[in-house]
Amino acid sequence: MTVEGTNRADEQLSLLGMEQGSEGPEELGGARIAYKDTSTILTRASGFMSDYDFTLNPYRGCAFGCPYCYAAFFTRDTAEQDSWGRWVEVKSNALAKLRRMRTPLEGARIYMSSVTDPYQPIERHLQLVRSLLEELVNLQPRLVVQTRSPLVTRDVDLLGQLRTVRVNMTVTTDDDEVRQAFEPRCSPIDARLRAIAEVHEAGLPASITMTPLLPVADPTSFAQRLLATGVTHFVVQPFHTGRSRFVAGTGKAALAMVEERSWTQERYRETVEVLRALLPTLDEGREGFAPA
């Protein structure tokens, strides 16, 4: 690393309250942690996210490692795909990059995050996302936060300072046995529902995203639990069963579990119809992820 690069790294680590050479843990939750600079912290949105101006991913990889996660397909090589969930890369200079942005961000539509979870376990230690939110409060974009972690409640104070914001909490099933099978490293269902209820009670716009919807034991009871959070906007999306969408060691494992539970398209549609009848608003697919 050049002297200039070292100075930049030192500056970023200082901003995060860390010292050079001791950025943070090297392993956490079964995932190896690496610390690397990034060329940019905001990426021009495209494809499914094309209604946004930028996506913001403070990390590469995700320690949650859900076997159905589409983000595995955006990794650099098959080795990273096959080891999805067992590595995380921290974008060490993320805050410095955001502070040096020349593009005005007031009113810009930003989605955090599209290929990682901003509140995965390493965030509790580094508070990288919190440092980015502190800067975003000064810049005032239109921000949507997507997570499946109750840790998001830690930042309600900062999120409340954004003029336009929404928090999406992913809840994929009503059955913790199913959750344990598909999302073993993620928080239990009740913990997520309590968290999004807290976000709603703080006066922040909130959504519950059932994406993808995994096997549901009791759709009516599930709807009642969702309604008890106070949230009024919900999004649903099917589990994609086309084998061409999956990679070895990742999607195939999820497909096998879905097939074992006979979670067919017919059962998905029946469940959605029950939810649609009981929930005040239920969007399906891309329309549910519109910018705040």
Side-chain angles (χ1 to χ4, degrees):
M1 182 182 289
T2 65
V3 172
E4 181 183 358
T6 300
N7 289 339
R8 286 200 302 269
D10 285 341
E11 175 190 0
Q12 175 62 15
L13 294 172
S14 176
L15 289 170
L16 293 177
M18 296 180 286
E19 297 178 357
Q20 180 70 27
S22 60
E23 294 100 328
E26 296 181 358
E27 185 172 340
L28 187 66
R32 301 184 311 275
I33 312 296
Y35 301 81
K36 297 183 180 180
D37 282 356
T38 183
S39 59
T40 181
I41 188 56
L42 293 179
T43 302
R44 286 286 179 184
S46 60
F48 190 86
M49 294 283 104
S50 60
D51 289 338
Y52 290 81
D53 298 303
F54 300 100
T55 59
L56 194 168
N57 291 279
Y59 303 104
R60 283 189 67 245
C62 182
F64 288 148
C66 302
Y68 55 76
C69 186
Y70 70 89
F73 308 109
F74 295 93
T75 54
R76 293 168 179 165
D77 53 44
T78 55
E80 287 189 345
Q81 291 176 358
D82 293 345
S83 60
W84 182 255
R86 300 196 296 275
W87 59 272
V88 174
E89 191 174 290
V90 179
K91 298 182 179 180
S92 299
N93 62 338
L95 180 56
K97 282 289 184 181
L98 184 61
R99 287 184 169 178
R100 294 191 181 112
M101 284 285 296
R102 295 183 179 181
T103 303
L105 293 180
E106 184 173 358
R109 299 162 297 181
I110 297 177
Y111 186 87
M112 183 178 77
S113 296
S114 57
V115 291
T116 191
D117 194 305
Y119 288 101
Q120 61 182 290
I122 190 64
E123 172 59 23
R124 189 179 300 277
H125 292 261
L126 299 186
Q127 298 194 41
L128 174 56
V129 169
R130 185 166 178 84
S131 73
L132 294 170
L133 287 175
E134 288 172 344
E135 184 64 19
L136 290 174
V137 166
N138 298 325
L139 301 172
Q140 287 298 321
R142 297 169 58 188
L143 181 68
V144 171
V145 176
Q146 184 75 49
T147 186
R148 63 189 62 222
S149 171
L151 182 58
V152 68
T153 60
R154 179 200 66 189
D155 293 337
V156 161
D157 59 331
L158 293 174
L159 293 167
Q161 295 177 51
L162 291 165
R163 289 191 291 271
T164 307
V165 67
R166 187 174 73 246
V167 176
N168 292 347
M169 177 65 70
T170 299
V171 180
T172 54
T173 179
D174 66 335
D175 187 336
D176 255 313
E177 182 180 342
V178 172
R179 193 275 307 166
Q180 183 66 32
F182 286 88
E183 304 169 349
R185 301 180 188 174
C186 300
S187 297
I189 297 163
D190 282 346
R192 297 188 222 179
L193 293 177
R194 286 194 300 269
I196 200 63
E198 184 176 334
V199 170
H200 170 72
E201 289 165 5
L204 299 177
S207 296
I208 294 176
T209 55
M210 296 168 278
T211 55
L213 187 66
L214 300 176
V216 172
D218 186 337
T220 299
S221 176
F222 188 29
Q224 292 168 348
R225 290 170 70 186
L226 297 174
L227 288 169
T229 65
V231 173
T232 58
H233 181 244
F234 304 89
V235 186
V236 69
Q237 193 164 286
F239 182 96
H240 296 290
T241 57
R243 291 183 181 273
S244 63
R245 300 175 64 91
F246 293 91
V247 294
T250 305
K252 286 185 178 179
L255 277 172
M257 289 189 287
V258 164
E259 291 173 358
E260 287 172 6
R261 290 165 174 78
S262 301
W263 184 241
T264 62
Q265 286 297 306
E266 181 180 1
R267 284 187 61 195
Y268 165 82
R269 294 278 11 138
E270 290 172 352
T271 300
V272 168
E273 290 311 308
V274 173
L275 295 175
R276 195 179 302 282
L278 297 173
L279 300 177
T281 304
L282 182 64
D283 290 326
E284 191 164 8
R286 179 177 174 178
E287 67 179 19
F289 292 89

